Every structure is written in structure tokens, then in C-alpha cells.
Amino acid sequence: MFKGLSAFPLTPFIDGSPDEKGFLRILRRLTEAKVDSLGVLGSTGSYAYMTREQRGRIARLAVENAGNIPVMVCVGAVSTDEVLRLADDAQAAGAGALLLPPVSYQALHDDEVYGLFETVARHASVPLCVYDNPGTTHFTFSDELHGKIAALPGVHSIKIPGVPADAEAASARVRNLRNRLPSDVTIGISGDSSAATGLIAGCEVWYSVCGGLFPAVAKKITEAAAAGDHTAVRAQNERLSPLWALFGQHGGSFRVISAAAGLLGLTDVNCLPRPLLPLRADQLNEVRRVISDLELA
Amino acid sequence: MFKGLSAFPLTPFIDGSPDEKGFLRILRRLTEAKVDSLGVLGSTGSYAYMTREQRGRIARLAVENAGNIPVMVCVGAVSTDEVLRLADDAQAAGAGALLLPPVSYQALHDDEVYGLFETVARHASVPLCVYDNPGTTHFTFSDELHGKIAALPGVHSIKIPGVPADAEAASARVRNLRNRLPSDVTIGISGDSSAATGLIAGCEVWYSVCGGLFPAVAKKITEAAAAGDHTAVRAQNERLSPLWALFGQHGGSFRVISAAAGLLGLTDVNCLPRPLLPLRADQLNEVRRVISDLELA
């Protein structure tokens, strides 16, 4: 399941709780587009804002409605013991894989992050994907640590946060990491604006927020990459640059995709978990314009 | 309750859960020393590693065993709705005040942090203290935002992370903040190594991790500060410099104080919540030496 397009749907909120109907409307777009896998309760899936019970319900809903598409569930938490409980819940819900970020409160040392992954890998009975996202976890992996964790039985993929914009630098970055990994561990790119560069540089998966709402355009990129058609990858990516620019303006994809889900009528326009606030009217208009120009609706 | 020495006890862990007996042993040192208030479930109180139920139990234990010393309870969480539930729990336990950090997952904007404090201040029936700790929350307050939040009814104190080492710069920093605040809102210093400088610069409270394990030495500093005896404040602070140096070496007070609690026989030597790991044997020896040299036991 760690290949192609892994779509990361939003978990929308309404009145302080997950909007399950809205979530199912978003999920349906992804199953109809036949994405390769689903990554639920990721950062865009608002896991950090949800109780254990809410996370369990969303995991179950996702699996029950995913048809034969495998579902990866993020089990991130500050406490290792809470991660283990979340892993149990996700497996009981039918998750095909677990996504694990080293969420920190007190800054973590390398041996502590290794210990976390070792403990969870030993506990879990489904494959594990390492979630490397320093922007939210405030932990920075070295390639050496990635290599050590990837050697643990059960670890099958690494979700990296992005690659340098320069094609040669991106290739070198992916190659250096690859050289540290067992051959059966894939590298997946996230950070949607660097997806094309990452796929051309050799990443096998796109862990995609864009693909969690706009699966058709995202699939064009992963399918072109799988076919080795780098010209098409670059062209599709170039076409989406107004969307990447919006992500850049709003500190990442989360706030923009939440607004877009509302504009598409899938969720409330204000579907972020508190304390996060929705975009202003002028910012919403800009998102509306990009959706229309790029024919994303 | 927002004056003098506010002692922040550790919540020690054992076998993946809060060590309630160890917590009570630590608490007893503080009540016997007659600290001015208690700040439980702060960063050193491991709140970020605990479930809602565990936090509720520790809050109740603290209030039940604090005698007539007022207890402030930290209610930090990523989700505003979870903060409100924690505030209800803390108030039901008998908390005299709530400590609220703007814990972030997605980076927060100023208006989102203001909205969080406005919502909680409206909801709560006991005073609120603003917990400004960018090292763990990854949110940086401006003095302007502090002023806006401090004007909310119910907000009574601000816990600041530290002041510049230079006495004049520290005075200017406290004065600039004070000028933004209503007269009934106190400023409390944390970051133990800058406590003396902060108290001399005009902070009315020391929110103290050191005082959460070594209340006698901490009280000497706050009592000297209250008496305006800056020479004594400086001398006591200078005497503790080996302890501050240890905090600096280990990225803050948390890991050192946890080790010290173990060395004093109050908790297991390994009393940190997973994934955090205890200090190595050589580091423990160094902590043991400082405790002995400074006669802290």
C-alpha cells in the first residue's frame, strides 16, 4: 500500500466535534477516484485536535467506507502509552497500516524517538510508516536515525516533509536517504508543492493533502510519475502552481483545503477545530477563484 | 494566589502511569515548606503525557492534600474543546486557578490564541493565568497580545518564560509588559535560572520548578525579593548556579528535576513518561553531586 497516491482527507469539524457526514462526503470523492490508499487522521485529518474516542470513530468510518482501498491511520500522540492505545484502536477498526509521527512536548532526543518506534513496531501487527514532519512535531530526523528506524521489522515507508526545489539536490536528498534504507522500505513525499520534484527524484508514494480533496488532479501526477513521463509530471505540477502558492500564503495546505472543502459544499465553510479560525472573506474569495480557474470542483 | 513562591511539582511516572504515591511524597515537601501556592500539571507536571482521567486524579489528589495552600491546575491541550473539559474537571477537583498555555499543533495566529483565552475565561469560574512558554507551545506572544488577553475578565497573572540576563534589560522587559496590563494582573517569572533577575526586575511571583522539589531554597529567594533585599536574592541565586548549569545542559529543568526526585528516594529513578528516557549513569552522578554540594536533600 506504500505506492502511488495516498490521499489524506480532512476531518472537518462542526460545533466542536468531528463532522462525520462531511468526512464521508470527502471520503466518497476519494473512493470514486480509486486512489491507491487512504491516510486518515493525519495532520490535515485533525488528529491532534481529537479525543481517542473521536479518532476511533473516524478510523472505523474510514475503513467501513473505503471499499477495497487500504486505510492507513495516524496514531500520533505525545505519550508512548497513548500511541499504543491508539494503535490498538486503529487495528481493531481494520487499519491496514499505522502512520507514526514523533509528536513532542519536551524536545525529544534521537534515542527517545528510536525507542518510541521500536516499542510501537513491536506492539503493532500491521505495517508502520514513519511520519517525518518537523513543522508540527518539532523533531528533526537525521538520515542515520531514519536508517536505524527503517531497519525495525514492521517499518515499511517513510513520509518525508519535502525535498529541495532544485532537481539535482532533490535527487541527491532522496538517494542519500535511500542508501540508508532496506530495499523494501519506500520513501513518500508530502508537502504537496514539492511532490512532483520528489516523485521525479525517486519517491514511490505521494502522501497527499491535495489528493485528499482533489484526487483526480493528484492521480494524474502519480500516474505520470509511475509511467516515467516526467514531462507530464512537471506540466501537471506547473498547472497547479496557483494552489501551491495559496498553501504557501497560509502556512501549509491545512487551512486552504479546509476552506476549499467548505466552498465545494462538502463541509461547513468554518470546519476547522477550535482554536483555529476560518479564512477571512477576501481569502476565501481567492481560494474560490483558484478552484474555479484550475477546474478543481 | 499570584504572589511569592508558586511551586510546580513533578508528576512522576511508573510503569506507564502517574506514580500517585511518588506525587504525594513530593507534594508533602511543598506543603511542609508552606509554599504560597501550588502549580500542578504544568510542563514539569507532565500534563502533556497524561489522559484526561489521569489529569483529573492528580488535580484531586493535589487539592485534597494541599491543606490551605491554593492549587492552580494547568489545563493545556491542543483543542479548545478539550481545554474546556479539563477546566471543568479542574474546577470540580477544587482548583483555585487555571493555568492555560496556547498549545499548538498547526501554528497559531494571534487572533486564534486570543479566541482561546476569551472562550476559556468566559467558561471558567476561577482566575486564569496565561502560560507563556514558547519552548513547548511553539507560540510566541507579543506584549500587545498579552495586554489584550490580560484585559479579559478572569485573567489575573502571566507566567513569562524568562528575562534577559542583564539587569537593566530585564527591568525594561518587565516594565514594557507591565505598561500593557491592568494593575491587578501580576507577572510571574519562570525559567528558574532567571528567577532572581526577574524578581529584582519587578515580577511578583516565581512559578518555580526548582521550588517544586527544593522549596526551602526557593523560598529564601522569594522572601528576600518580597523584603526588597536584592543582595540576598543575588547571593541565593549565585549559590544555586550549579543547579542552573545542570538545567542548561539538559535542555531545561524537567529531566534534571525528575532525576533528582529519584535520587532523593521520592520516586523511581526512571520516573519520566515514555518516550522520554532517564539520564545516563554519569549524568545522574553529576546531579547527585550538585544536590549534595548545595545541601538540597
Side-chain angles (χ1 to χ4, degrees), chain B residues 140-165:
Chain B
T140 301
F141 284 90
S142 64
D143 282 357
E144 188 187 347
L145 179 60
H146 268 314
K148 226 180 130 188
I149 290 172
L152 289 167
V155 175
H156 286 255
S157 188
I158 303 176
K159 177 182 185 294
I160 62 171
V163 289

Side-chain angles (χ1 to χ4, degrees), chain A residues 43 81 105 112 255 274, chain B residues 43 81 105 112 255 274 277:
Chain A
S43 293
D81 294 280
Y105 184 78
E112 294 170 333
R255 292 167 192 268
R274 294 194 290 181
Chain B
S43 293
D81 294 280
Y105 184 77
E112 294 169 333
R255 292 167 192 268
R274 294 195 289 180
L277 295 173

Side-chain angles (χ1 to χ4, degrees), chain B residues 12-142:
Chain B
F13 272 63
I14 192 162
D15 298 331
S17 294
D19 172 6
E20 298 184 356
K21 287 182 185 162
F23 177 74
L24 287 175
R25 281 190 286 266
I26 293 170
L27 202 68
R28 194 163 174 188
R29 287 167 71 91
L30 311 182
T31 53
E32 286 180 354
K34 296 190 174 29
V35 298
D36 296 304
S37 66
L38 290 160
V40 303
L41 296 166
S43 293
T44 305
S46 297
Y47 80 85
Y49 299 83
M50 292 163 69
T51 66
R52 180 181 166 194
E53 290 68 28
Q54 290 170 339
R55 291 168 73 166
R57 279 188 61 87
I58 290 291
R60 282 197 298 282
L61 275 181
V63 173
E64 284 165 13
N65 291 276
N68 59 357
I69 299 174
V71 177
M72 177 162 71
V73 176
C74 177
V75 293
V78 171
S79 148
T80 300
D81 294 280
E82 185 71 2
V83 170
L84 297 180
R85 290 187 284 267
L86 291 162
D88 289 342
D89 294 349
Q91 291 184 173
L98 306 178
L99 177 64
L100 179 57
V103 183
S104 63
Y105 184 77
Q106 301 286 345
L108 294 173
H109 301 165
D110 279 12
D111 55 348
E112 294 169 333
V113 171
Y114 180 76
L116 167 68
F117 279 91
E118 191 184 34
T119 303
V120 179
R122 204 185 314 119
H123 183 86
S125 51
V126 299
L128 217 59
C129 176
V130 177
Y131 191 173
D132 176 356
N133 187 359
T136 53
T137 64
H138 308 285
F139 177 80
T140 301
F141 284 90
S142 64

Side-chain angles (χ1 to χ4, degrees), chain A residues 50-152:
Chain A
M50 292 163 69
T51 64
R52 179 180 166 195
E53 291 66 29
Q54 289 170 340
R55 292 168 74 166
R57 280 189 60 87
I58 290 291
R60 283 197 298 281
L61 275 180
V63 173
E64 283 165 14
N65 291 276
N68 58 358
I69 299 175
V71 178
M72 177 162 72
V73 176
C74 177
V75 293
V78 170
S79 146
T80 301
D81 294 280
E82 184 72 2
V83 169
L84 297 179
R85 292 187 284 265
L86 291 162
D88 289 342
D89 294 348
Q91 291 185 173
L98 306 179
L99 178 63
L100 179 56
V103 183
S104 63
Y105 184 78
Q106 301 286 345
L108 295 172
H109 301 165
D110 279 12
D111 55 347
E112 294 170 333
V113 171
Y114 179 77
L116 167 68
F117 279 90
E118 190 184 34
T119 302
V120 179
R122 204 185 313 119
H123 183 87
S125 51
V126 298
L128 217 59
C129 175
V130 177
Y131 191 173
D132 176 358
N133 187 358
T136 52
T137 64
H138 308 286
F139 178 80
T140 301
F141 283 90
S142 65
D143 282 359
E144 189 188 346
L145 178 60
H146 268 314
K148 225 180 131 188
I149 290 172
L152 290 167

Side-chain angles (χ1 to χ4, degrees), chain B residues 209-220:
Chain B
V209 173
C210 166
L213 191 63
F214 306 123
V217 293
K219 261 189 102 170
K220 283 186 186 165

